[in-house]
Amino acid sequence: MFGPGLLVAVVALASPVFGQTAWQPNQVNTRICQWLQFGAAVLRDTVYLNGGDLWWEPGFADGSTGPAVTDNNRLGVIYTLNFSTPFNTTQNISAILGTLATGGGDANNRAPNYVDGALLGNDNEFFVYGGLPQKSDAFTPPPGHSVLAYNKYQYGAPKPGFTSYFYNKDLGPNVTRYVAYGGAASAPSENLAWYFSGLRSPSGGEIYYPGTGNATTTASNVSSTLITLDMATQLQETFTNDTLPQAIPGRADPELVWVPVGSKGILVVLGGVVYPDFSERSQTSANQTASELQSPSFMSTIDIYDVASRKWYTQKTTGGPGQRTRGCAVVARAQDGSSFNIYYYGGYDGLHQDQPFSDEVWVLSLPSFTWVLLANSTVEGRAGHKCVAPYPDQMMVIGGYPHPQGLVTSCLTETIRVFNLSAGTWLDRYDPAIYSNYTVPSAVHEKIGGSGTGGATATTPSPSGFDSTELAKVFATPYPVTKIATYYPYPSVGPVNNTNPNVGPTPSAPSSGGGGLPSYLPPVLGVVLGLVFFTMVAVLILLWRRRRLLRAGTASEVGTEYTTPSRAFIKWWLRGQPAQPAQPSEAKAPTVTSSDYTPASSAEPDTLAVAPRPIAEMMDTGVPLPVELPAGNQIFLLPLSESHLPPKPPSSPCSSPR
Ligand SMILES: *[C@@H]1O[C@H](CO)[C@@H](O)[C@H](O)[C@H]1NC(C)=O
Ligand SMILES: *[C@@H]1O[C@H](CO)[C@@H](O)[C@H](O)[C@H]1NC(C)=O
Ligand SMILES: *[C@@H]1O[C@H](CO)[C@@H](O)[C@H](O)[C@H]1NC(C)=O
Ligand SMILES: *[C@@H]1O[C@H](CO)[C@@H](O)[C@H](O)[C@H]1NC(C)=O
Ligand SMILES: *[C@@H]1O[C@H](CO)[C@@H](O)[C@H](O)[C@H]1NC(C)=O
Ligand SMILES: *[C@@H]1O[C@H](CO)[C@@H](O)[C@H](O)[C@H]1NC(C)=O
Ligand SMILES: *[C@@H]1O[C@H](CO)[C@@H](O)[C@H](O)[C@H]1NC(C)=O
Ligand SMILES: *[C@@H]1O[C@H](CO)[C@@H](O)[C@H](O)[C@H]1NC(C)=O
Ligand SMILES: *[C@@H]1O[C@H](CO)[C@@H](O)[C@H](O)[C@H]1NC(C)=O
Ligand SMILES: *[C@@H]1O[C@H](CO)[C@@H](O)[C@H](O)[C@H]1NC(C)=O
Ligand SMILES: *[C@@H]1O[C@H](CO)[C@@H](O)[C@H](O)[C@H]1NC(C)=O
Ligand SMILES: *[C@@H]1O[C@H](CO)[C@@H](O)[C@H](O)[C@H]1NC(C)=O
């Protein structure tokens, strides 16, 4: 898919935030084609989307689109989606995403792009845990015992002068970040988060995105641990590593959800597979027979972890989706707490990525452990996406990928889908002004009894009850739901309708081969016109002073007086250089080049190179990224390890774990 020419261009050219690769000749826009296996965390009113394998589809002036390209997040940004933003699901979603600079990316080893890792957090902060960085010769990756952390809001003991910032968190003695493909869940009301199982390298050492073909650094062996992050005290968070009991088998890409049942809640593990195709360089399972033998039980016998007692249980169910991985899940609680309905959407069996992915929405209703197929639209199946529930009655499905068809990277038609959890139907838009309380869908309460508002009559698993009396006791203990903070309703900042300004980086960049003005012309013109203007002013002042001085009879001083405007001019000229990022609106500099970006970050190691701004702004004009740190934004406590921009080979399509 990539010619050598494009590889060179990717390294040498501009890096817009949207599709951080070079834009091609006549390219006028770009959109998210697919985005899989990123990490997501909801902090109050915003979901943060980190890493993953993000592909952009270029659009050209004649209306055609080109093959999707991946950028490996060269600028090291975390994308954000504020729940105050309304959108319709067929619009250009890129236009509503914000960005948060980590200070990482291509410039250094602070924050590589992790695929299939997680964001673990509470309402105030998150940690980038696990995942696969791309192997790079330019930088050594961060050490195995430390992870990137982001303190967005402070909590607990007051911290005077607190501002949001990124820092590196040490994991402590018994935990490494060398794990990927695990299931992640957060319980903000308990200040706890977890990373369940996943895959590791045979030695438990460093791991990279598959494709190197080096078995030593490929995540292939099941991890039998549950990592618990305790955020009770901000800045004194702890990671612990508990070995799973024999009865709880490890697996790749399960969904982990926290359910408010029992005194501290429970974790429920849904799906996941062993010997998946996606972790292999060949994209075929290492042992399909074993996978088909063991994996279906991960959806029919559900593993449950009681947070308070730190004990694991299993519970049999009947029916359900069968072998499934890379879906997404959210939990909805009936208004009276009589049922907890876990929605599982999409995914596939982890073996046949050449066949269409699931478009089914399944509900696992607790405590009856009843499976219900709620929707099967077959419009656009996907896998590798994330779901969040901004409102009690709505689920947002973000990103993912359709099943690969041949060599072409297939694109999603809807980057974000919105599902009405109460009605069991897909919506065509999200509007923060429209929401309701959750009601149990009729297809579910037909099976578990009661009505939309609750009153479920099936309170034990059918047909044979709880597999463990202890688990029955856990379900008999209600969770103090008043501990759960909510941040809705969100003020609406929409409607957003002008989403396609169709302005890309100027086609005048010299290597893009387009016509138009050479890129050096605007700055030079600015300087020349400025010079002409100031020369005229200087001459006028000179003439005027000379006239006055001559009248006063002190003409000898004219020479010294005359230099003043000239010095001011030089200062103005230096400040007014179009490449100066502080004044982008005046300057209209032609292209964001790699060299514009890198010196900015290396010259100011304690600040960020990219400030959070609406992406639309950054993209539209191709102005340089702002260097200054706006009040209330992040600092980064790590020193820069390198100041040059390393060439980083983009992953080739045949080696990506899809
Ligand atoms: C989507 O919006 C972004 C930001 O405004 C823009 O850069 C991009 O070109 C747009 N894509 C399309 C297909 O219009
Ligand atoms: C989300 O948008 C709302 C409305 O504009 C704003 O008040 C809030 O601060 C935003 N949240 C974040 C994290 O920026
Ligand atoms: C969604 O937005 C697109 C592009 O702006 C527009 O063509 C379409 O009609 C909109 N759909 C709805 C349901 O508003
Ligand atoms: C690390 O593991 C050892 C052995 O299991 C244990 O004794 C020790 O308490 C653990 N340390 C921490 C900080 O959890
Ligand atoms: C968890 O602890 C075990 C036993 O000490 C260790 O082998 C393993 O590497 C740890 N797992 C992670 C993900 O740190
Ligand atoms: C595989 O990776 C390990 C660890 O980085 C390295 O020591 C080894 O030389 C590599 N093997 C091959 C064949 O490249
Ligand atoms: C790791 O996985 C490989 C390939 O599946 C297997 O050959 C090896 O025995 C496993 N190693 C361990 C320590 O389980
Ligand atoms: C695959 O798994 C099956 C069942 O666990 C086992 O009998 C067989 O030896 C495995 N095959 C390979 C090639 O490892
Ligand atoms: C959902 O629809 C697809 C495509 O028609 C079909 O293959 C699949 O069996 C359906 N799922 C269920 C659970 O009926
Ligand atoms: C979801 O469906 C329920 C029941 O039909 C309805 O009351 C509610 O308004 C819907 N929510 C949204 C956001 O459309
Ligand atoms: C949700 O339910 C609560 C309590 O039953 C009620 O006070 C509130 O008005 C409801 N909210 C909506 C949006 O219907
Ligand atoms: C966006 O939609 C609002 C309400 O429908 C309308 O008033 C406004 O003119 C629209 N703006 C643009 C730029 O289309």
Side-chain angles (χ1 to χ4, degrees):
M1 201 187 298
F2 300 107
L6 179 57
L7 292 187
V8 171
V10 164
V11 172
L13 265 187
S15 288
V17 174
F18 262 174
Q20 299 164 23
T21 53
W23 281 31
Q24 297 160 39
N26 298 320
Q27 182 177 346
V28 293
N29 62 40
T30 186
R31 71 171 192 109
I32 293 174
C33 168
Q34 53 170 249
W35 189 6
L36 53 141
Q37 298 307 125
F38 51 91
V42 175
L43 269 52
R44 304 186 181 190
D45 61 0
T46 296
V47 59
Y48 296 77
L49 310 162
N50 177 60
D53 195 5
L54 176 51
W55 292 71
W56 298 90
E57 181 182 57
F60 299 102
D62 64 0
S64 64
T65 55
V69 293
T70 183
D71 63 17
N72 199 33
N73 197 6
R74 298 161 51 88
L75 296 183
V77 299
I78 290 178
Y79 292 94
T80 61
L81 176 61
N82 188 320
F83 295 147
S84 281
T85 313
F87 58 88
N88 97 29
T89 58
T90 51
Q91 81 175 62
N92 177 6
I93 291 299
S94 318
I96 61 165
L97 297 179
T99 55
L100 179 64
T102 60
D106 267 2
N108 54 66
N109 71 348
R110 280 174 181 174
N113 190 67
Y114 290 106
V115 178
D116 232 311
L119 295 188
L120 302 177
N122 56 18
D123 291 335
N124 303 298
E125 60 183 20
F126 63 72
F127 298 79
V128 179
Y129 184 74
L132 307 162
Q134 189 103 38
K135 184 118 175 91
S136 156
D137 292 333
F139 298 117
T140 49
H145 59 79
S146 104
V147 295
L148 184 71
Y150 180 54
N151 279 343
K152 169 74 179 166
Y153 309 101
Q154 62 166 317
Y155 63 99
K159 295 156 191 72
F162 179 92
T163 49
S164 308
Y165 61 96
F166 282 96
Y167 68 104
N168 256 18
K169 171 77 182 176
D170 198 276
L171 294 172
N174 297 337
V175 184
T176 75
R177 64 168 182 83
Y178 295 141
V179 58
Y181 310 106
S186 298
S189 57
E190 295 296 321
N191 282 317
L192 292 172
W194 299 268
Y195 195 82
F196 170 82
S197 188
L199 300 178
R200 316 192 65 203
S201 78
S203 69
E206 57 182 343
I207 43 177
Y208 295 99
Y209 204 73
T212 62
N214 185 338
T216 316
T217 55
T218 299
S220 55
N221 294 68
V222 164
S223 167
S224 297
T225 55
L226 176 72
I227 304 295
T228 304
L229 164 62
D230 185 341
M231 295 164 284
T233 309
Q234 193 170 30
L235 296 177
Q236 288 168 41
E237 299 86 350
T238 58
F239 284 80
T240 47
N241 168 345
D242 295 305
T243 303
L244 296 173
Q246 284 284 311
I248 310 298
R251 64 201 81 169
D253 283 338
E255 287 306 296
L256 189 70
V257 292
W258 178 83
V259 182
V261 158
S263 60
K264 290 188 163 191
I266 57 171
L267 296 179
V268 177
V269 191
L270 299 171
V273 300
V274 290
Y275 302 105
D277 54 6
F278 50 74
S279 65
E280 299 288 331
R281 185 193 198 193
S282 62
Q283 301 285 290
T284 51
S285 168
N287 190 338
Q288 184 169 335
T289 314
S291 183
E292 286 171 341
L293 202 65
Q294 298 166 42
S295 308
S297 71
F298 301 150
M299 278 294 194
S300 58
T301 300
I302 301 295
D303 294 327
I304 295 158
Y305 177 73
D306 177 35
V307 175
S309 66
R310 303 171 69 109
K311 276 194 181 153
W312 282 95
Y313 302 95
T314 59
Q315 176 62 50
K316 280 199 263 321
T317 66
T318 44
Q323 174 161 356
R324 189 112 355 139
T325 184
R326 293 197 158 183
C328 72
V330 299
V331 182
R333 174 185 179 273
Q335 287 174 38
D336 66 352
S338 63
S339 68
F340 300 87
N341 299 312
I342 304 171
Y343 290 70
Y344 184 97
Y345 169 64
Y348 77 117
D349 64 5
L351 298 173
H352 299 99
Q353 50 175 267
D354 53 332
Q355 287 166 24
F357 291 166
S358 162
D359 201 14
E360 301 161 2
V361 180
W362 283 89
V363 172
L364 175 64
S365 185
L366 310 186
S368 66
F369 286 85
T370 305
W371 279 107
V372 179
L373 176 66
L374 190 59
N376 189 8
S377 67
T378 72
V379 172
E380 183 174 46
R382 66 181 72 194
H385 47 286
K386 284 280 179 290
C387 331
V388 293
Y391 278 114
D393 69 337
Q394 286 165 72
M395 164 172 87
M396 266 183 203
V397 175
I398 306 170
Y401 63 122
H403 81 279
Q405 288 165 286
L407 287 174
V408 182
T409 303
S410 322
C411 293
L412 298 167
T413 54
E414 291 175 303
T415 307
I416 304 184
R417 297 187 80 180
V418 184
F419 188 75
N420 184 329
L421 298 169
S422 305
T425 52
W426 291 103
L427 305 173
D428 58 15
R429 58 203 281 256
Y430 168 77
D431 186 338
I434 303 173
Y435 69 99
S436 308
N437 286 326
Y438 172 67
T439 54
V440 181
S442 51
V444 175
H445 68 70
E446 273 161 22
K447 285 215 178 179
I448 64 169
S451 67
T453 51
T457 50
T459 53
T460 57
S462 63
S464 49
F466 279 106
D467 292 355
S468 144
T469 52
E470 280 182 65
L471 181 59
K473 280 189 201 138
V474 172
F475 272 92
T477 312
Y479 181 79
V481 285
T482 49
K483 281 172 85 174
I484 301 175
T486 56
Y487 296 90
Y488 61 83
Y490 315 101
S492 180
V493 296
V496 179
N497 36 14
N498 181 22
T499 56
N500 188 2
N502 267 352
V503 184
T506 53
S508 60
S511 19
S512 73
L517 297 176
S519 61
Y520 58 81
L521 210 53
V524 169
L525 266 179
V527 169
V528 169
L529 291 177
L531 262 171
V532 169
F533 173 75
F534 266 77
T535 309
M536 280 170 63
V537 171
V539 167
L540 282 175
I541 290 174
L542 176 63
L543 288 176
W544 177 76
R545 288 197 77 97
R546 169 174 279 250
R547 218 175 67 152
R548 211 183 53 163
L549 290 169
L550 281 175
R551 278 201 194 149
T554 55
S556 62
E557 306 250 317
V558 164
T560 34
E561 293 281 323
Y562 159 68
T563 58
T564 313
S566 169
R567 239 184 265 130
F569 168 70
I570 288 167
K571 257 171 87 184
W572 165 84
W573 182 78
L574 287 174
R575 209 170 358 100
Q577 281 298 292
Q580 195 87 356
Q583 301 167 326
S585 55
E586 297 169 25
K588 283 259 174 195
T591 322
V592 188
T593 64
S594 307
S595 52
D596 283 341
Y597 173 73
T598 318
S601 62
S602 53
E604 302 195 33
D606 290 327
T607 61
L608 287 171
V610 189
R613 279 174 70 190
I615 301 176
E617 278 176 45
M618 294 192 192
M619 280 307 298
D620 293 347
T621 53
V623 297
L625 303 167
V627 185
E628 63 199 342
L629 187 70
N633 276 297
Q634 328 72 25
I635 54 168
F636 202 109
L637 305 182
L638 290 176
L640 275 167
S641 60
E642 287 282 338
S643 60
H644 68 281
L645 187 78
K648 179 183 276 188
S651 65
S652 87
C654 46
S655 65
S656 66
R658 288 178 300 117

